Amino acid sequence: GPLLDEKFARSYEDYLGWIADHHTVEGPTGRVTADNPRPGFAGTYDQGLFYHPVIVDGVRPDDRLFLEETFGPIVGVTTYRSLDEAIELANRPGYGLSSSIYTTNPTSAFRFRQGVSAGMVSVNNSTSGAEAHLPFGGNGKSGNGSRQSGFWVLDQFTRWQSMNWDFSGRLQKAQMDVLEITPDLDFRL
């Protein structure tokens, strides 16, 4: 995956250093170069910051890869035995931007949504992207805590105020004096 700049590349290389002996990684890691090529790579090795995507299997709940948020083409895989354990694992690191469950069981989907502490829950699709028309935002240590999407953004940036103006030229009661209107009780549509 392409990385934005040297700062992100250094951070990503730090994440690769979190891979421990008990983890399983298939394929190359690190920067894509002539000495560390990527099959099908169409870029130029000396232009851009391109890194091999990495899937790390065997990640444990006390591993740094599990507990800290990473940015870049790296994914940790942790096994679980029950839906409740999966929810507990999902909530453990304290991040809550987005989550996903793959299931054909509606009860499991709603149980996951109820238990997970993420700002967005996806069922049978990826966690990337937010729905622009929904009041989306992360929970816990993720996101910025606001809901700056959809029409709810008006409440984030608007100071509501009402105003009334009496042109009568005389002091009025709080309810304002008005003409008395007599209803036509015989009127019918």
Side-chain angles (χ1 to χ4, degrees):
L3 296 183
L4 185 62
D5 61 24
E6 288 289 341
K7 175 185 169 191
F8 286 97
R10 282 191 302 276
S11 294
Y12 182 70
E13 289 174 3
D14 286 345
Y15 307 149
L16 294 176
W18 300 353
I19 297 172
D21 292 338
H22 64 273
H23 296 139
T24 302
V25 176
E26 297 290 330
T29 63
R31 189 169 180 176
V32 175
T33 64
D35 294 331
N36 190 16
R38 176 110 195 125
F41 180 68
T44 306
Y45 292 124
D46 59 349
Q47 292 182 346
L49 298 166
F50 299 96
Y51 282 78
H52 292 280
V54 179
I55 298 174
V56 182
D57 195 10
V59 175
R60 299 173 184 163
D62 58 344
D63 288 342
R64 192 168 181 190
L65 271 173
F66 186 93
L67 295 171
E68 295 187 35
E69 195 170 44
T70 59
F71 295 93
I74 188 168
V75 174
V77 177
T78 303
T79 54
Y80 59 90
R81 301 202 188 303
S82 69
L83 179 60
D84 287 335
E85 183 184 5
I87 293 168
E88 181 182 325
L89 289 169
N91 291 334
R92 181 177 173 153
Y95 294 100
L97 190 59
S98 185
S99 64
S100 183
I101 181 173
Y102 286 80
T103 183
T104 57
N105 183 329
T107 301
S108 295
F110 283 103
R111 171 69 187 97
F112 181 77
R113 185 211 46 88
Q114 179 185 29
V116 77
S117 294
M120 183 170 78
V121 176
S122 297
V123 179
N124 298 336
N125 59 21
S126 74
T127 64
S128 63
E131 298 297 327
H133 64 286
L134 297 174
F136 171 76
N139 295 329
K141 298 187 286 185
S142 291
N144 60 17
S146 73
R147 303 290 187 253
Q148 297 178 355
S149 298
F151 66 85
W152 295 271
V153 74
L154 293 174
D155 288 330
Q156 292 287 329
F157 297 107
T158 303
R159 181 178 65 94
W160 296 102
Q161 184 179 57
S162 64
M163 179 176 142
N164 62 61
W165 192 331
D166 176 21
F167 286 99
S168 73
R170 57 191 170 96
L171 186 61
Q172 303 258 12
K173 298 178 199 165
Q175 298 80 10
M176 299 186 83
D177 295 328
V178 296
L179 294 173
E180 185 172 317
I181 299 174
T182 306
D184 180 355
L185 299 176
D186 294 324
F187 179 79
R188 299 286 181 261
L189 289 177

